[in-house]
Amino acid sequence: MTASQLVRRRFGGASAAAADPETLTVRAVLLASENRQIPPAAVDLAARIAKRSDARVHVFSIARIWGTSLGFPNPGLFPNKQEWAEQRAMVEQ
């Protein structure tokens, strides 16, 4: 048994085979990324699921904070203007 199968079994998630996009009914779809391009196949799948349910698609991108100071995020380590612009461009695309 693979690690992902163990996680699904332990936390009650459906198997990948059971997640047929043609049978899902949802209120919203979330596309998420951690500073990486979202694959076109994922965008197409999200669009198909959303269209079938007349749901919204939300795109979420995580901008990293690169460190802490005394256990709190250090403002000097937040993304700069260029990094924020890259995040926005990726989400818009």
Side-chain angles (χ1 to χ4, degrees):
M1 186 174 289
T2 67
S4 63
Q5 289 170 328
L6 287 172
V7 169
R8 281 190 217 112
R9 177 175 284 177
R10 181 171 179 181
F11 296 105
S15 69
D20 180 11
E22 301 306 322
T23 62
L24 294 175
T25 302
V26 298
R27 289 185 282 170
V29 178
L30 176 66
L31 277 173
S33 173
E34 182 185 279
N35 201 23
R36 292 183 222 157
Q37 194 73 21
I38 298 173
V43 174
D44 292 340
L45 178 60
R48 281 192 335 192
I49 293 170
K51 185 176 181 179
R52 183 181 190 288
S53 302
D54 195 29
R56 291 180 158 207
V57 176
H58 300 275
V59 181
F60 183 81
S61 181
I62 298 170
R64 291 184 178 210
I65 297 174
W66 295 101
T68 60
S69 176
L70 301 173
F72 295 100
N74 185 333
L77 301 173
F78 282 116
N80 60 34
K81 288 181 182 182
Q82 179 183 353
E83 292 168 331
W84 278 120
E86 291 171 0
Q87 291 285 330
R88 286 185 187 99
M90 183 175 44
V91 168
E92 286 176 16
Q93 185 181 9

